[in-house]
Amino acid sequence: MTAREKPKTLWVGRWGFILAATGSAVGLGNIWKFPYMTGEYGGGAFVLVYLACILAIGIPIMMAEISFGRRGRGSPIDAIRRLAQESGRSRVWSLFGWMAMLCGFMILSFYVVVAGWSVSYLWKAVSGGLSGSSVEEMAAIFGANNANPWNLGFWSTLVTLATMLIVGKGVQEGIEKSVRWMMPGMVLILGIMIAYGAFSGGFGDAVHFLFAFELGKLSSEGLLAAMGQAFFTLSLASGAILTYGSYLPDDKSIARTTFSVALFDTLVALMAGLAIFPIIFASGMDPDSGPGLIFMSLPLAFQQMPLGTVLEIAFFVMLTLAALTSAISMIEATVAWLNQSKGISRIKASWGTGILLWIVSTLAMLSFNVGADWTLAGKHFFDWLDYLTSRWMMPLGGLGMALMAGFVLRNDIFRSELGLSDVQHALWLFMIRYVSPLGILLIFIDALGVMALDLGSQWPWLLGVLVAVTLLGEVVSPRIRRQLAS
């Protein structure tokens, strides 16, 4: 299979990719985390900084990942290996493909447990099992839900089965057909909730919380939070976007497609805020509740509202759809590799991967009940999966993607795939070589906590580092490329 050979399946159109990639990006974290951070760190000011970080960090790397996928036409491992060979570089660079594929699988291993919470709460909402008169009682319901391994295991297994059923049907019949109704369905439910919230009495407070331009709240912590969210929200370095990019037709613009995904991801996150926070404020609750906002505060607020049960069911349907669209993207890289590289039929690859996923996710699920005492260095198995992927594998993988695209692989590959003008391509190349890696390094350092970062006082130093590295890279870039490729 040559680097330009088409795979057996492609997205029917650009919208298939946009919906699938947006579904991958919009997960359970977006529903509460991004809106909360927006209100916490200055509203409109945070949104502007977040969008700037999307432009400087997220979009350049996402364009590179899609280019890897479409040029290499395969799983992360195969695509990166083919591009390295086409550029005359070492096959060792395909290790970043292995890391991305493993990262996506590990994330999904604990994500299906969290998704199981959503499905179980949907059932509780339908069956009347979410009755409590205080946040403490709702917390007790949440605790009891996790304390029973048979109960929690059943719901996480159900998510695994649904994910494998969809992925097993293939790209067009399974993934694309599913996201074509899942994503519009999720947006429709959010729209209905926003319309209801407009008359709830808390809509004005919610709009102020989300969009008031308060620069005073935008601390160094907020700037780093915007950087981290911009990187993680687009599912970068987890194999999902690269694999989805391998199904993108040659005549579709990577740049326009990437901007569309970033735009829709941000819009859905803000819509989630406009759907959730009016209910929270109308009920006199604290928006600073983290994950408890979804599973403790909101169910209590729904009980106090007219048509609360209907809205509660709609909300957890929407949350379940968000979980599924993310889940199918994170497993696709592994299934594609087994199918395309190892010659295993897609159905067998899906169910074989599903069995392994079920075993690993069961170990993660047991961290909340019978395995609560099984710790290593103070962390449960669930915590280790989260820690290794979010603190190490994704930042390192994103840094590797940026280095490959900026210095290692032939520039004409990306010039051909991206189809940008000379000025646009030069801007993208500058971002992917210098700005994106610096941003990822800051995210990496902050996440590990190895040193305190205060961007308010350290920005001149960071700007000097960027200028120095840029000059060094442009002066001796041929030598750097030879050293990195060796």
Side-chain angles (χ1 to χ4, degrees), residues 327-394:
I328 61 180
S329 72
M330 285 184 277
I331 202 64
E332 174 61 18
T334 304
V335 173
W337 177 70
L338 290 172
N339 176 231
Q340 298 167 9
S341 184
K342 301 303 178 183
I344 302 173
S345 71
R346 188 170 186 91
I347 293 178
K348 289 182 179 179
S350 299
W351 289 109
T353 305
I355 292 171
L356 181 59
L357 173 65
W358 180 82
I359 293 171
V360 180
S361 65
T362 298
L363 293 174
M365 178 272 297
L366 293 176
S367 298
F368 293 93
N369 34 73
V370 298
D373 296 327
W374 306 344
T375 61
L376 177 64
K379 288 184 174 63
H380 297 97
F381 187 68
F382 182 100
D383 300 326
W384 273 111
L385 290 172
D386 184 16
Y387 173 77
L388 290 173
T389 54
S390 63
R391 299 290 182 94
W392 289 92
M393 297 175 75
M394 291 185 76

Side-chain angles (χ1 to χ4, degrees), residues 252-399:
K252 305 304 178 185
S253 168
I254 290 178
R256 286 197 298 270
T257 301
T258 303
F259 275 90
S260 297
V261 173
L263 175 64
F264 285 127
D265 174 59
T266 304
L267 286 177
V268 170
L270 290 173
M271 286 180 69
L274 289 174
I276 292 171
F277 287 114
I279 297 171
I280 293 297
F281 284 113
S283 303
M285 294 182 176
D286 185 2
D288 182 7
S289 303
L293 181 72
I294 300 297
F295 297 107
M296 299 172 201
S297 299
L298 265 181
L300 184 61
F302 282 131
Q303 292 184 32
Q304 303 171 5
M305 302 166 57
L307 300 176
T309 301
V310 175
L311 284 174
E312 186 174 53
I313 292 172
F315 175 77
F316 283 111
V317 167
M318 182 268 297
L319 205 62
T320 300
L321 293 177
L324 279 176
T325 54
S326 295
I328 61 180
S329 72
M330 285 184 277
I331 202 64
E332 174 61 18
T334 304
V335 173
W337 177 70
L338 290 172
N339 176 231
Q340 298 167 9
S341 184
K342 301 303 178 183
I344 302 173
S345 71
R346 188 170 186 91
I347 293 178
K348 289 182 179 179
S350 299
W351 289 109
T353 305
I355 292 171
L356 181 59
L357 173 65
W358 180 82
I359 293 171
V360 180
S361 65
T362 298
L363 293 174
M365 178 272 297
L366 293 176
S367 298
F368 293 93
N369 34 73
V370 298
D373 296 327
W374 306 344
T375 61
L376 177 64
K379 288 184 174 63
H380 297 97
F381 187 68
F382 182 100
D383 300 326
W384 273 111
L385 290 172
D386 184 16
Y387 173 77
L388 290 173
T389 54
S390 63
R391 299 290 182 94
W392 289 92
M393 297 175 75
M394 291 185 76
L396 286 176
L399 188 60

Side-chain angles (χ1 to χ4, degrees), residues 95-424:
L95 289 175
F96 281 105
W98 281 100
M99 181 189 291
M101 191 178 78
L102 180 60
C103 181
F105 183 87
M106 289 172 63
I107 291 173
L108 186 56
S109 296
F110 69 86
Y111 189 81
V112 294
V113 180
V114 181
W117 296 345
S118 178
V119 183
S120 68
Y121 266 63
L122 173 59
W123 171 250
K124 290 180 189 296
V126 172
S127 61
L130 287 177
S131 56
S133 58
S134 66
V135 174
E136 289 73 22
E137 290 186 15
M138 287 297 179
I141 292 173
F142 184 70
N145 190 64
N146 292 341
N148 187 336
W150 297 105
N151 175 69
L152 189 56
F154 170 78
W155 295 112
S156 59
T157 299
L158 192 62
V159 173
T160 302
L161 289 173
T163 302
M164 294 306 115
L165 279 171
I166 293 170
V167 174
K169 289 184 177 180
V171 175
Q172 293 178 1
E173 292 299 315
I175 300 174
E176 189 165 4
K177 278 191 175 181
S178 297
V179 297
R180 280 187 180 274
W181 67 265
M182 283 184 183
M183 287 305 298
M186 186 167 64
V187 172
L188 176 63
I189 292 171
L190 283 174
I192 293 172
M193 292 185 67
I194 291 172
Y196 183 91
F199 300 97
S200 67
F203 194 75
D205 291 332
V207 171
H208 183 271
F209 181 75
L210 288 169
F211 299 112
F213 198 89
E214 300 179 89
L215 277 175
K217 287 186 177 182
L218 193 59
S219 61
S220 292
E221 183 183 355
L223 291 171
L224 288 166
M227 283 187 188
Q229 184 69 9
F231 178 76
F232 292 115
T233 191
L234 295 178
S235 298
L236 301 176
S238 64
I241 297 301
L242 194 155
T243 306
Y244 277 1
S246 71
Y247 307 132
L248 187 67
D250 288 331
D251 60 346
K252 305 304 178 185
S253 168
I254 290 178
R256 286 197 298 270
T257 301
T258 303
F259 275 90
S260 297
V261 173
L263 175 64
F264 285 127
D265 174 59
T266 304
L267 286 177
V268 170
L270 290 173
M271 286 180 69
L274 289 174
I276 292 171
F277 287 114
I279 297 171
I280 293 297
F281 284 113
S283 303
M285 294 182 176
D286 185 2
D288 182 7
S289 303
L293 181 72
I294 300 297
F295 297 107
M296 299 172 201
S297 299
L298 265 181
L300 184 61
F302 282 131
Q303 292 184 32
Q304 303 171 5
M305 302 166 57
L307 300 176
T309 301
V310 175
L311 284 174
E312 186 174 53
I313 292 172
F315 175 77
F316 283 111
V317 167
M318 182 268 297
L319 205 62
T320 300
L321 293 177
L324 279 176
T325 54
S326 295
I328 61 180
S329 72
M330 285 184 277
I331 202 64
E332 174 61 18
T334 304
V335 173
W337 177 70
L338 290 172
N339 176 231
Q340 298 167 9
S341 184
K342 301 303 178 183
I344 302 173
S345 71
R346 188 170 186 91
I347 293 178
K348 289 182 179 179
S350 299
W351 289 109
T353 305
I355 292 171
L356 181 59
L357 173 65
W358 180 82
I359 293 171
V360 180
S361 65
T362 298
L363 293 174
M365 178 272 297
L366 293 176
S367 298
F368 293 93
N369 34 73
V370 298
D373 296 327
W374 306 344
T375 61
L376 177 64
K379 288 184 174 63
H380 297 97
F381 187 68
F382 182 100
D383 300 326
W384 273 111
L385 290 172
D386 184 16
Y387 173 77
L388 290 173
T389 54
S390 63
R391 299 290 182 94
W392 289 92
M393 297 175 75
M394 291 185 76
L396 286 176
L399 188 60
M401 297 289 180
L403 290 175
M404 281 190 291
F407 291 102
V408 177
L409 303 179
R410 281 168 37 197
N411 188 34
D412 62 293
I413 290 176
F414 297 97
R415 189 177 290 276
S416 171
E417 291 299 321
L418 295 175
L420 301 173
S421 68
D422 290 343
V423 173
Q424 291 171 335

